[in-house]
Amino acid sequence: AFTQYWYQFRVCGSELVSSKGRTKTAPRANDDVSDIGLAVYSCSNFPNGFFNAYGNSARKDNVDYVLHLGDYIYEYATSNSLRPVQPRKEIFSLYDYRRRLATYRTDSDLLLSHSKFAWITVWDDHEFANNGYRDGFSGMNNTEDSFIRAGRVSVDQRKMNAVRAYFEWMPLRQVDMDDGLRVWRSFALGKLVDLVMLDTRNYDRSITTLNWNTDYVTEISNDAGRTLMGGLQESWFYCQLINSKKRAAKWRLIGSQIVFSRNRTLKTLYDNDIGNNIFMSGDSHLNWASDLVWLDEKSYNPKTGAGSLGAEFAGTAVSSSSPFGASSSLRQTNNQSSLLIRDNSELQWQEGYYRGYYELQISPAKVVAQYFGCPDLRTRNGYEVSLGNFTVTDGGNAIQRPIGGGVVANGALQDGKVVGTNLTLDTNTGRWAVRGFNFTGVTIPSGTA
């Protein structure tokens, strides 16, 4: 348990061997574990730029496992001369999904990360198709017209194709042999951490925004019958939280695809007095650090964090574009961040310029979230900027004040200073230097990002 192994593959009857890989087993549920490190990723769009974020954490080599919260691939027909994808069209068939996954696995830094770490993954929508939910996607539904336009592929068949290819390529065994769409599961990592990985997108989600029904979804948004997870997963999730407290795990880490403030979840936490919760989310292509609170229902002091039951750390994309604008400047994105900070008292830090990732260093005394930005995705390189570090102490149940030690390198902070820097680590050499960058990504043709 909690043991490192090396492995290699050989073609039978030949001298052909793979490169060496490394992995690490999980600790037993009752083991005393002093620390665990996690690298957390989401949203890697191949044409948008090189996956430098994967390689940076692998080269630094100070985590135990990689968590991917979804959008490992994108199904779009996007392409460019620097990073073309195969097939070039939008993908529907089993062959399409297999070939698209194979394209992604040509990225050297993605391969490096897979060769060094055990990965714990869930999917979001783009492993299937954009804005997926229980009965379809933004561009596809269960109608005859949709079936014909999709090349005589139904919603269910497309899901089956995506699921099969995902299980073929990803380091994930089927969770339930009678439920092929289930990837939600949990891990007891010693007495230190209970890790819960959720599927808030594909399993049994109610209808979502599909680019043509925004007014309708807004009108029903507070309907008590709406669900992100479906009743089966939701009940299982709440039992996981309650049982984790009963077994006295120090920390509860919850991985999902969205910034996660949902009333029934928060009610479970408050009603059962479950603290030391760290929610992790992707999908938004933005960096967030927030206290975990039930606004308008429970008292909360934004200055001290009193009333919070933990923290939520959301990560930017590996390469997918910022919703603030793919070519926006630091000043423009920071202005947007300032507005979000102003309007959300629980949101302590927000940043939207950099693509990158974050790492969690977990010990019995604290969880430290370290955010890193990749300043240039146009080439494969090892550059990264340290954006900010945020701490949650055992029993503190909120991000420690002053937030980020009072200083972050970009974005907007509730109380503290933003001090920009071009001090950049080259993870290839381990050397720091001041470097100038003026645009982070690859230019994508209009209408395809």
Side-chain angles (χ1 to χ4, degrees):
F2 211 36
T3 303
Q4 195 162 264
Y5 292 92
W6 283 261
Y7 60 91
Q8 189 174 50
F9 297 100
R10 178 185 295 273
V11 177
C12 293
S14 78
E15 297 300 316
L16 295 175
V17 296
S18 70
S19 57
K20 291 184 177 67
R22 188 187 71 182
T23 192
K24 195 170 196 176
T25 56
R28 299 181 187 90
N30 290 321
D31 285 353
D32 290 312
V33 180
S34 60
D35 59 85
I36 291 176
L38 304 173
V40 185
Y41 297 100
S42 62
C43 305
S44 40
N45 193 335
F46 194 90
N48 273 34
F50 286 84
F51 296 160
N52 298 330
Y54 292 136
N56 286 349
S57 183
R59 283 182 285 270
K60 291 186 299 184
D61 201 15
N62 58 2
V63 300
D64 299 291
Y65 307 108
V66 165
L67 268 58
H68 201 290
L69 300 177
D71 290 347
Y72 182 89
I73 65 167
Y74 280 71
E75 83 287 3
Y76 295 141
T78 56
S79 190
N80 62 51
S81 59
L82 177 64
R83 298 268 287 179
V85 289
Q86 298 295 331
R88 290 180 178 268
K89 66 181 183 68
E90 185 176 350
I91 55 178
F92 291 90
S93 70
L94 176 58
Y95 171 81
D96 291 343
Y97 282 98
R98 284 169 167 167
R99 196 169 182 199
R100 184 61 59 85
L101 279 155
T103 300
Y104 274 60
R105 287 291 182 91
T106 64
D107 183 273
S108 298
D109 282 330
L110 178 56
L111 290 174
L112 178 64
S113 182
H114 273 295
S115 74
K116 280 201 158 188
F117 302 115
W119 278 49
I120 301 171
T121 70
V122 287
W123 49 47
D124 197 351
D125 55 338
H126 289 290
E127 287 88 350
F128 296 71
N130 184 53
N131 284 2
Y133 70 108
R134 179 172 49 221
D135 301 314
F137 314 101
S138 62
M140 189 177 182
N141 53 52
N142 282 315
T143 63
E144 182 179 8
D145 177 65
S146 176
F147 176 73
I148 293 171
R149 285 188 291 107
R152 311 191 75 79
V153 176
S154 67
V155 168
D156 288 344
Q157 183 62 57
R158 190 178 189 181
K159 284 188 176 183
M160 287 174 61
N161 295 337
V163 167
R164 180 170 176 179
Y166 188 87
F167 276 104
E168 288 174 351
W169 277 93
M170 300 300 286
L172 170 68
R173 63 181 67 172
Q174 193 165 334
V175 179
D176 185 338
M177 296 305 293
D178 296 320
D179 190 348
L181 195 58
R182 177 178 172 179
V183 291
W184 39 278
R185 61 207 190 280
S186 63
F187 303 82
L189 303 178
K191 299 176 183 176
L192 183 61
V193 173
D194 278 340
L195 171 63
V196 181
M197 299 291 275
L198 300 175
D199 176 2
T200 57
R201 174 62 74 175
N202 293 293
Y203 189 76
D204 199 13
R205 179 173 175 152
S206 301
I207 192 168
T208 188
T209 303
L210 303 174
N211 300 330
W212 51 264
N213 65 342
T214 304
D215 291 343
Y216 168 66
V217 171
T218 300
E219 188 170 334
I220 65 172
S221 60
N222 292 319
D223 188 330
R226 285 177 57 76
T227 178
L228 284 169
M229 296 180 278
L232 182 62
Q233 182 182 185
E234 192 170 327
S235 296
W236 169 87
F237 175 41
Y238 301 153
C239 287
Q240 293 294 309
L241 295 174
I242 293 168
N243 291 336
S244 176
K245 181 184 178 182
K246 287 180 179 177
R247 87 172 191 97
K250 179 61 70 175
W251 300 96
R252 277 149 292 283
L253 270 63
I254 296 92
S256 73
Q257 294 67 58
I258 59 168
V259 176
F260 205 98
S261 294
R262 291 295 177 266
N263 290 350
R264 291 190 292 266
T265 299
L266 294 170
K267 186 177 189 304
T268 299
L269 295 175
Y270 279 101
D271 286 354
N272 294 278
D273 192 25
I274 303 172
N276 278 8
N277 307 294
I278 306 294
F279 279 68
M280 306 169 291
S281 52
D283 185 62
S284 71
H285 306 180
L286 300 168
N287 287 314
W288 314 71
S290 176
D291 289 334
L292 186 66
V293 299
W294 195 1
L295 294 174
D296 302 324
E297 291 288 338
K298 300 293 181 179
S299 62
Y300 169 63
N301 185 331
K303 291 292 184 183
T304 65
S308 175
L309 282 180
E312 179 161 23
F313 297 118
T316 186
V318 170
S319 63
S320 301
S321 299
S322 171
F324 294 163
S327 301
S328 296
S329 67
L330 280 167
R331 181 184 294 274
Q332 289 169 326
T333 57
N334 288 355
N335 286 342
Q336 294 292 318
S337 297
S338 296
L339 295 176
L340 288 168
I341 288 289
R342 182 197 66 189
D343 295 339
N344 296 276
S345 61
E346 78 282 11
L347 181 57
Q348 301 302 317
W349 174 69
Q350 204 283 317
E351 196 278 332
Y353 178 78
Y354 283 101
R355 310 300 86 198
Y357 68 105
Y358 66 96
E359 294 181 350
L360 295 178
Q361 300 296 336
I362 307 158
S363 70
K366 61 186 178 182
V367 173
V368 179
Q370 302 169 306
Y371 280 79
F372 304 97
C374 299
D376 189 352
L377 307 186
R378 294 169 295 180
T379 63
R380 185 191 180 200
N381 61 71
Y383 301 144
E384 69 177 26
V385 175
S386 179
L387 299 177
N389 300 325
F390 308 94
T391 300
V392 181
T393 59
D394 175 27
N397 287 321
I399 302 174
Q400 189 177 54
R401 271 59 171 176
I403 303 296
V407 179
V408 295
N410 200 49
L413 197 61
Q414 282 287 6
D415 289 301
K417 297 187 295 184
V418 177
V419 180
T421 179
N422 280 333
L423 183 61
T424 307
L425 172 66
D426 185 349
T427 60
N428 285 304
T429 64
R431 295 175 181 171
W432 293 85
V434 175
R435 297 179 174 89
F437 302 97
N438 55 20
F439 182 60
T440 62
V442 172
T443 300
I444 305 298
S446 176
T448 64

